[in-house]
Amino acid sequence: MIWHRGGGRDENGQLTPVTDEPLTARAVAPGGGAETAARLRDGENIDVTVYFTPGTDIVNSDELTVRGQRYHIIVNDWRSPWTSFGGLEVLCTRGQG
């Protein structure tokens, strides 16, 4: 899995560097996620859900390459309803017109 951050311009109009770094997930699941129904109505298709440990520095403006596909992401704080385990749920989306 590759984590992509940066690119574009900062508040002064200067180009920001792009970083591509490997990132280790706790789990990768097909589709799903806490916001599946709402996102589907907004025209986004959730292809993959990735779970990371708490404290992972990943934000909505980043992108992830998972299993060879690059995705826009939606980051949610996640907690299991059955245990005290929690972390970050990252929904990997592809827009559908």
Side-chain angles (χ1 to χ4, degrees), residues 86-97:
L88 295 177
E89 173 190 64
V90 178
L91 307 177
C92 298
T93 66
R94 292 208 179 263
Q96 302 293 319

Side-chain angles (χ1 to χ4, degrees), residues 69-90:
Q69 297 291 319
R70 189 165 174 156
Y71 297 99
H72 295 284
I73 62 171
I74 300 163
V75 180
N76 298 311
D77 187 33
W78 178 81
R79 178 134 336 261
S80 169
W82 302 284
T83 68
S84 62
F85 177 76
L88 295 177
E89 173 190 64
V90 178

Side-chain angles (χ1 to χ4, degrees), residues 7-91:
R9 297 191 180 271
D10 65 13
E11 62 277 354
N12 297 320
Q14 300 296 316
L15 291 174
T16 58
V18 176
T19 58
D20 297 332
E21 298 181 23
L23 191 62
T24 302
R26 295 214 41 146
V28 178
E35 296 186 11
T36 302
R39 294 292 169 189
L40 289 175
R41 283 192 295 269
D42 290 340
E44 290 179 300
N45 185 24
I46 300 168
D47 287 349
V48 179
T49 301
V50 183
Y51 296 94
F52 293 99
T53 57
T56 302
D57 179 29
I58 190 166
V59 296
N60 288 331
S61 59
D62 296 340
E63 292 185 348
L64 279 179
T65 297
V66 180
R67 298 177 179 154
Q69 297 291 319
R70 189 165 174 156
Y71 297 99
H72 295 284
I73 62 171
I74 300 163
V75 180
N76 298 311
D77 187 33
W78 178 81
R79 178 134 336 261
S80 169
W82 302 284
T83 68
S84 62
F85 177 76
L88 295 177
E89 173 190 64
V90 178
L91 307 177

